[in-house]
Amino acid sequence: MNPYGTWGLLRLASPQLPIGGYSYSQGLEQAIESARVSDADSAQRWLHDQLLLNLARFEAPLLLAHCQAAASEDWVRLERLAEQHQASRETRELRLESRQMGYSLRQLLDGLPELDELARALFQRIEDPGLALGWALAARAWRIDAEEALAAWLWSWLENQLAVLMKSLPLGQQAAQRLTSELLPVLRQAQQHASDIDPDNWGSAAFGLALASMAHERQYSRLFRS
């Protein structure tokens, strides 16, 4: 029996989880600056494409694999996946984001009694844990199913992107909720694709995102970290 139940899942997906996800826009702020995203319709297209053409093809299945390996105590595979995730960060900004959030998750979990000794030892063994590794070990600590941990990660990604839109576009709360309704089926589609895709077919070529992220590193005025 899981003593944390649904509470652990809500805790992991909560924007109050102190890992700093709200500090990053993942290139969206630059897309707004360059007018590639200028209203609710273009925002919907940007988020839709990121979910299905990028996250569902690589980020999401890789994170799911992290969670599955942590749950099954396959530490060798988990370390290999963590290295793969770290190597896949295409820009300085994306690497720093993953590194900072992974570090914050390690600091958080290290001070909590839920993290078991095997997971704690792995966490300490890796010099620069990324977000995917931290997320997987948090899911293990709070006994969250791997598929549910993936759903929580997808939800937190969407919630963060909507927060960026509301601060930078700007987009009103009603419009953001309308976008949420439109994109919930896309979240489900991305989750399903991530669960079904063969590891040999993992990969995306998100050139637009990489270019937006690199440009954001040099953007003169910005609200979000680079």
Side-chain angles (χ1 to χ4, degrees):
M1 181 178 178
N2 183 355
Y4 304 105
T6 305
W7 309 119
L9 181 63
L10 294 173
R11 183 181 188 182
L12 185 61
S14 172
Q16 297 303 313
L17 193 70
I19 59 175
Y22 59 86
S23 302
Y24 298 93
S25 78
Q26 298 192 354
L28 180 53
E29 185 177 28
Q30 206 288 321
I32 294 169
E33 174 75 13
S34 62
R36 279 178 286 179
V37 173
S38 57
D39 54 23
D41 289 339
S42 55
Q44 198 273 350
R45 287 194 298 272
W46 176 274
L47 298 178
H48 177 280
D49 288 351
Q50 290 297 337
L51 279 166
L52 296 187
L53 302 180
N54 180 27
L55 300 186
R57 295 181 178 184
F58 182 71
E59 296 272 353
L62 182 59
L63 182 124
L64 177 61
H66 275 77
C67 295
Q68 291 169 337
S72 62
E73 299 186 359
D74 190 344
W75 307 119
V76 173
R77 182 171 184 242
L78 186 55
E79 286 196 62
R80 186 170 66 249
L81 290 166
E83 291 173 358
Q84 184 178 1
H85 182 262
Q86 186 179 65
S88 71
R89 303 304 85 198
E90 297 174 296
T91 68
R92 176 179 177 272
E93 176 177 84
L94 294 175
R95 176 173 171 78
L96 287 175
E97 175 185 358
S98 178
R99 180 181 179 183
Q100 181 270 314
M101 293 175 72
Y103 174 81
S104 296
L105 267 172
R106 179 164 67 183
Q107 292 293 100
L108 169 66
L109 293 171
D110 193 50
L112 299 178
E114 299 97 311
L115 191 67
D116 62 88
E117 290 306 316
L118 290 173
R120 197 179 298 274
L122 175 80
F123 229 160
Q124 295 302 323
R125 201 159 60 240
I126 295 180
E127 183 177 352
D128 289 320
L131 172 61
L133 177 63
W135 198 270
L137 293 180
R140 173 184 169 84
W142 297 328
R143 303 186 192 181
I144 299 168
D145 175 80
E147 289 282 352
E148 291 186 337
L150 171 60
W153 178 78
L154 286 168
W155 172 256
S156 67
W157 178 88
L158 178 60
E159 194 170 53
N160 170 258
Q161 294 286 279
L162 291 171
V164 173
L165 289 168
M166 286 190 286
K167 292 175 183 176
S168 302
L169 194 53
L171 190 78
Q173 292 183 342
Q174 183 67 32
Q177 286 300 314
R178 190 177 303 113
L179 268 180
T180 302
S181 294
E182 293 171 358
L183 290 167
L184 283 178
V186 186
L187 279 184
R188 175 57 184 159
Q189 189 177 349
Q191 180 190 25
Q192 190 62 54
H193 186 78
S195 300
D196 294 342
I197 190 172
D198 189 286
D200 290 339
N201 296 325
W202 289 358
S204 66
F207 299 121
L209 175 63
L211 291 170
S213 177
M214 286 189 287
H216 188 250
E217 293 173 4
R218 304 185 302 275
Q219 189 170 317
Y220 176 72
S221 177
R222 58 179 183 259
L223 294 173
F224 297 91
R225 293 178 65 176
S226 180

